[in-house]
Amino acid sequence: MSHKNGKPLVAITGGDPAGIAPEITLKAVAMKSVRDVCIPVVVGSAGLLVSEKAASGVALEVRVIDSLGEVGDKPGTIDVLETGELEPGTYERGRNSAICGKFSGDTIVRAVGLAMAGEVRSVVVAPNSKKALNMGGYHFPGFEEIITHYTGTTDSIQILMGRHYNLARVSNHMPLSQVSAYCTRERVLSRIVVLDKSLKAVGIDAPRIGVSALNPHIGEEGLLGTEEIEHIIPACEDARARGIDAIGPLPADTVFLDMKEGRIDVVLSMYHDHGNACIKLVEFGYLVNFIGGLPVPVFTVSHGTAFDIAGQGKADPTNLEWSILAAAGHRPS
């Protein structure tokens, strides 16, 4: 049962309890924009949400359900599938802990399991701490790797989708010193292929993928690096031979201008901070992180746990709101 009353069921994971996840969850699920298009179900802790109601300023009734068969669609109410162990007073707000990491990891695994079983349409992952997840026994670089492990996926990709700009990356969370060796012809091609497929799945029928160079000035014909000659150019040629519109490599310092001028639909950056620094400058607060290549739709926010403002009622839920809307099949503009 992934739908009820004509609306899709969207599972929202508990996130890290020590951060802003409970606050923004309460704020987002109370929004009319969210309730009009889906039925949100929190996979996490009802007690945690109740404890955050005062700080969030949201007067939702928090209701525990034992199964999705009990889910309701009553305004002013949020249903919670109790998941994970989280005892009051066993963790400190604003600090990493094994307790919070295990809880947040457990909620991710269960929510994705519900989607795999066809019980919810999609999953939205609330902000987690990578350090806490590892402390709690989830020894992965991030939540994406947790999901790929538990779904048996071999090729996924994070796609940041904003109002006007879209971004994907060849490498993700790794030291900069390892990026050059990581961006091989085979790996760049695989990123282009899964990105093309994923964008088509969310309604971009003929994606124009702007592949960024790794080195300054596209390597200056080998003077400033040979990665373009040996790997990135051949990967783009391989992709075009498959019928994919892979444009590039394009200079990394101007590739976003190509998107601004409407020549490409997405930038494929070679490494994390190059692409993220650009897109977050113009789209911060509006980015939806779509995990392409998975057997089920998974979305998340493009910000962290914000430990420094946890529990203060200051957190902006807009990014989570947009992620839930995207998970329900609606992309705001």
Side-chain angles (χ1 to χ4, degrees):
M1 183 192 73
S2 61
H3 290 71
K4 186 171 184 177
N5 299 340
K7 298 179 184 178
L9 271 62
V10 175
I12 306 169
T13 72
D16 193 302
I20 62 171
E23 177 187 337
I24 61 174
T25 297
L26 285 167
K27 289 178 176 179
V29 299
M31 292 180 171
K32 185 177 185 299
S33 59
V34 168
R35 303 309 288 252
D36 281 349
V37 300
C38 73
I39 301 176
V41 180
V42 174
V43 179
S45 165
L48 174 63
L49 294 179
V50 170
S51 70
E52 292 287 330
K53 283 171 64 174
S56 70
V58 175
L60 280 176
E61 176 190 349
V62 180
R63 191 172 74 104
V64 177
I65 59 175
D66 294 322
S67 72
L68 289 175
E70 302 173 20
V71 72
D73 188 20
K74 181 181 177 182
T77 301
I78 179 62
D79 290 336
V80 180
L81 278 171
E82 287 283 351
T83 302
E85 299 176 2
L86 192 67
E87 295 296 328
T90 57
Y91 65 92
E92 184 178 348
R93 182 179 282 156
R95 295 180 66 88
N96 285 307
S97 70
I99 290 171
C100 290
K102 184 178 187 307
F103 168 82
S104 56
D106 289 349
T107 66
I108 292 171
V109 172
R110 187 176 186 193
V112 171
L114 293 172
M116 292 285 286
E119 296 188 60
V120 296
R121 181 189 191 274
S122 51
V123 174
V124 175
V125 178
N128 298 280
S129 163
K130 298 175 183 64
K131 182 175 181 180
L133 284 166
N134 275 266
M135 292 170 67
Y138 286 92
H139 302 299
F140 299 89
F143 78 90
E144 180 186 356
E145 291 81 4
I146 294 174
I147 296 172
T148 57
H149 173 77
Y150 282 96
T151 59
T153 304
T154 57
D155 207 8
S156 65
I157 191 168
Q158 290 192 29
I159 308 170
L160 292 177
M161 306 181 74
R163 297 163 298 176
H164 309 293
Y165 296 87
N166 303 311
L167 168 76
R169 302 178 297 260
V170 173
S171 65
N172 196 16
H173 299 128
M174 66 170 51
L176 184 58
S177 60
Q178 298 176 14
V179 170
S180 177
Y182 185 82
C183 294
T184 63
R185 176 177 182 172
E186 293 75 20
R187 192 165 280 121
V188 172
L189 175 61
S190 75
R191 302 293 80 202
I192 295 172
V193 170
V194 72
L195 177 57
D196 179 72
K197 180 179 179 181
S198 300
L199 290 175
K200 288 175 178 174
V202 293
I204 302 177
D205 296 331
R208 298 166 297 167
I209 300 171
V211 181
S212 170
L214 175 66
N215 294 300
H217 308 295
I218 320 179
E220 286 282 7
E221 299 184 2
L223 181 65
L224 302 179
T226 61
E227 288 84 358
E228 284 77 18
I229 294 172
E230 297 173 359
H231 298 287
I232 303 175
I233 291 173
C236 291
E237 292 171 346
D238 294 342
R240 289 193 287 269
R242 296 184 179 207
I244 298 172
D245 194 0
I247 303 167
L250 301 169
D253 59 350
T254 58
V255 65
F256 276 86
L257 295 177
D258 288 288
M259 183 176 293
K260 181 181 179 181
E261 297 300 325
R263 291 187 286 269
I264 58 176
D265 298 304
V266 62
V267 171
L268 179 63
S269 174
M270 291 300 119
Y271 63 99
H272 186 279
D273 284 6
H274 160 250
N276 279 26
C278 295
I279 198 169
K280 286 190 176 182
L281 176 66
V282 293
E283 295 279 17
F284 192 77
Y286 299 97
L287 288 171
V288 172
N289 194 343
F290 170 53
I291 313 302
L294 297 174
V296 292
V298 177
F299 299 81
T300 188
V301 295
S302 59
H303 60 74
T305 54
F307 281 160
D308 58 320
I309 62 169
Q312 299 177 30
K314 299 178 180 178
D316 185 347
T318 303
N319 207 186
L320 183 60
E321 173 201 7
W322 280 47
S323 298
I324 298 171
L325 294 179
H330 294 258
R331 186 178 177 186
S333 59

